[in-house]
Amino acid sequence: MESLFPGLPDEIGWECLLRVKLNSHHKLRCVCKSWNAALKSPHFYGEKKRLKFSEQRICMLQKIDGICNRVAVYDLEKNSCKSLPPIPGEINNIFHCHFVKQKLVLIPDLIAGSTRCVLLYDFACLKWRQGAKMPRWLNGFASAADEHGGLIYVGGGFDRFYIDRWNRRYSFGNPVRSALVYNVEEDKWDLLPDMNTYIALIDLLPDMKTIMEFIELSINGVFADGKFYVMGYSGSFEVFDSNARSWKTMENRFDSWCYVCVFGRFYCFSGRGLIEYDYGQDNLDFLGPLPTEDWARSIDFAVVVGNKIFVSKWNTIQGQHFCMVEPPNEIGGTFKLIDTLAASSDLKGSTIHAATLDL
C-alpha cells in the first residue's frame, strides 16, 4: 500500500488527515487512492472524535412537496447546508433519524403501503444501503439512540396508520405497548418486553384539516444513563432499564412538547417555560419562562450540540428559524436564549426529524 505522505511515517500522515476540516474531505478523497482509502476506513471518524478533532453538524430530514425525500446537513457556523445523495427507493414514509456508529440511520414511522426497512447512510463510504425490516408495524412511536452501545430504541405509538389521500380518509390502529431495539452494526432487530402502559398521542387526534400535520408528530424518546424514556404530551411515561430489561411507570408532572438530555441533565420545553428534570430524584426545577406561552408549541425539533440545545422553530410568518438554548452550569442557575437566526435559504422544505452528526 502506498504511503499517505511520501517521506513521512504513516502515523504522522494519519494525524495530518485527521486535522483537515470536514468541508474539505471531498477534496482529500480525490488526491490519491491512499487518502481515499484512509477516509473510507471505519476507524477514521472514530479517531477524529477520540482526539477531539470532530465537528458537529445538524442533519435534517426534510419534506418537499409532501414527500419526505431530502436529507440536509446543516453547518451551524456558516448557516449553510448541503444535501446528501437522494434517499433510495420509492419513499412513502416519515422517518426518525439518528446518528450512530458514524452512520445516519432512518427508522420508518410506518404508514400502510410504505417500506418497513431501515435505511442507513455511511459517511465513510458516502453511500446509502437498506437495513433490516422492522418486525412490527408501528406509527407515531418514540425513538432514541444509545450511541455508545450502537443501539436505537423504539416504543409506543399505534400499530398502524392508513391514509387514503384520494378519498381523504384515514384510520388509526390501536395504541400499543410494544418496544423494539435495533443494533446498527449487526443490522438486527430484537423485541423488548412490552411497556406497562399505552403511550400515544391519543389526546391530539385531529380533524381532517390537520391530519397530515398529525402523522408527522410522535411521542418523545430520550436515552440517558442506560435508560430509554418514552414520553407522551401528558399523563404517565415509561422508563426502560437496559441492564435490568424491565419497564417502570412514572408520573409525568408537566405538559411538554419536547425533551432533550444534555450531559445527563434532562430539559423539557413546555408552556410554562424551560424545566430541568432530575429523573433520579424525580424532582422538577423551573429555570424560567420562554419568550411566549406558545413558544414550545412551535418547536420543530431540538437536538443537543455540545453543551447547548439547538432549537428549530416554525411559524407561518417567519418560516423556519433557529436558536440556541444554553442551560445553566449549576443547579438553580438560569438559562440563556441565544439570538434567533433565520434558516439558510438552502433549506427548502419543512423539517420532520433531525439528529446531531459528530464527524
Side-chain angles (χ1 to χ4, degrees):
M1 180 178 178
E2 71 177 290
S3 174
L4 291 174
F5 289 84
L8 287 178
D10 278 348
E11 292 80 5
I12 297 178
W14 184 262
E15 290 279 341
C16 293
L17 292 180
L18 290 174
R19 285 168 166 78
V20 177
K21 291 290 186 180
L22 189 61
N23 287 338
S24 298
H25 281 195
H26 66 287
K27 298 178 182 178
L28 293 184
R29 294 174 183 270
C30 300
V31 172
C32 61
K33 291 182 179 179
S34 61
W35 287 19
N36 186 36
L39 266 68
K40 286 184 177 180
S41 165
H43 307 295
F44 182 80
Y45 291 105
E47 280 295 288
K48 284 196 70 175
K49 184 174 182 179
R50 186 182 69 83
L51 297 173
K52 299 183 179 180
F53 295 145
S54 61
E55 302 169 59
Q56 292 191 317
R57 300 284 191 271
I58 308 298
C59 192
M60 303 180 189
L61 182 62
Q62 295 194 295
K63 184 182 72 174
I64 300 176
D65 296 330
I67 301 174
C68 186
N69 59 0
R70 185 191 187 213
V71 180
V73 179
Y74 177 70
D75 186 333
L76 286 78
E77 293 183 1
K78 296 185 177 181
N79 189 29
S80 63
C81 72
K82 296 181 179 179
S83 296
L84 293 184
I87 299 174
E90 184 178 349
I91 304 302
N92 186 30
N93 278 67
I94 301 297
F95 292 95
H96 294 227
C97 60
H98 297 283
F99 182 68
V100 178
K101 299 296 183 181
Q102 314 310 317
K103 298 176 181 65
L104 177 68
V105 185
L106 303 187
I107 305 293
D109 198 333
L110 295 170
I111 302 172
S114 61
T115 178
R116 293 170 58 186
C117 292
V118 174
L119 295 174
L120 303 97
Y121 184 80
D122 191 326
F123 283 91
C125 300
L126 305 181
K127 292 182 180 179
W128 287 99
R129 68 175 175 85
Q130 193 173 84
K133 289 185 178 181
M134 292 183 71
R136 292 183 178 175
W137 286 83
L138 293 176
N139 171 262
F141 52 81
S143 68
D146 171 11
E147 185 175 344
H148 179 73
L151 303 173
I152 298 175
Y153 292 85
V154 303
F158 299 92
D159 60 1
R160 66 177 174 83
F161 177 82
Y162 174 78
I163 182 166
D164 184 345
R165 291 181 173 86
W166 182 262
N167 295 313
R168 295 178 59 81
R169 295 177 182 174
Y170 67 93
S171 63
F172 291 91
N174 300 310
V176 295
R177 298 185 293 124
S178 301
L180 311 168
V181 61
Y182 176 67
N183 188 309
V184 175
E185 292 192 325
E186 296 181 6
D187 189 27
K188 178 184 176 183
W189 285 97
D190 286 316
L191 300 179
L192 297 178
D194 284 352
M195 299 187 300
N196 299 318
T197 57
Y198 299 97
I199 299 183
L201 295 178
I202 300 173
D203 296 338
L204 301 181
L205 289 178
D207 58 18
M208 194 59 191
K209 295 179 181 179
T210 59
I211 187 60
M212 292 310 296
E213 296 177 7
F214 178 78
I215 65 172
E216 294 166 10
L217 295 175
S218 60
I219 53 181
N220 283 267
V222 176
F223 188 87
D225 294 341
K227 297 181 176 64
F228 172 43
Y229 293 77
V230 179
M231 302 173 171
Y233 173 66
S234 60
S236 63
F237 62 90
E238 293 278 322
V239 184
F240 178 74
D241 188 322
S242 59
N243 294 318
R245 290 187 64 83
S246 62
W247 291 93
K248 178 181 178 181
T249 305
M250 299 183 69
E251 180 187 0
N252 187 348
R253 294 185 283 119
F254 40 84
D255 293 337
S256 176
W257 288 89
C258 188
Y259 308 81
V260 292
C261 184
V262 184
F263 294 146
R265 295 161 70 184
F266 231 136
Y267 297 96
C268 319
F269 294 89
S270 72
R272 290 177 53 201
L274 185 63
I275 299 170
E276 182 176 354
Y277 176 55
D278 184 337
Y279 44 82
Q281 300 296 324
D282 193 25
N283 290 328
L284 300 178
D285 185 16
F286 181 68
L287 301 181
L290 296 167
T292 61
E293 288 188 4
D294 63 347
W295 197 90
R297 286 178 174 265
S298 62
I299 293 177
D300 275 340
F301 65 86
V303 294
V304 177
V305 180
N307 63 345
K308 299 180 178 65
I309 305 169
F310 178 85
V311 178
S312 170
K313 292 168 49 35
W314 171 268
N315 63 54
T316 54
I317 299 175
Q318 293 180 310
Q320 191 171 21
H321 273 63
F322 302 141
C323 61
M324 282 286 199
V325 176
E326 185 174 340
N329 294 323
E330 56 187 17
I331 296 175
T334 58
F335 73 94
K336 295 179 182 178
L337 185 63
I338 302 172
D339 291 342
T340 299
L341 175 68
S344 166
S345 58
D346 297 331
L347 293 170
K348 301 175 182 178
S350 59
T351 301
I352 307 301
H353 283 276
T356 303
L357 309 180
D358 199 356
L359 294 167

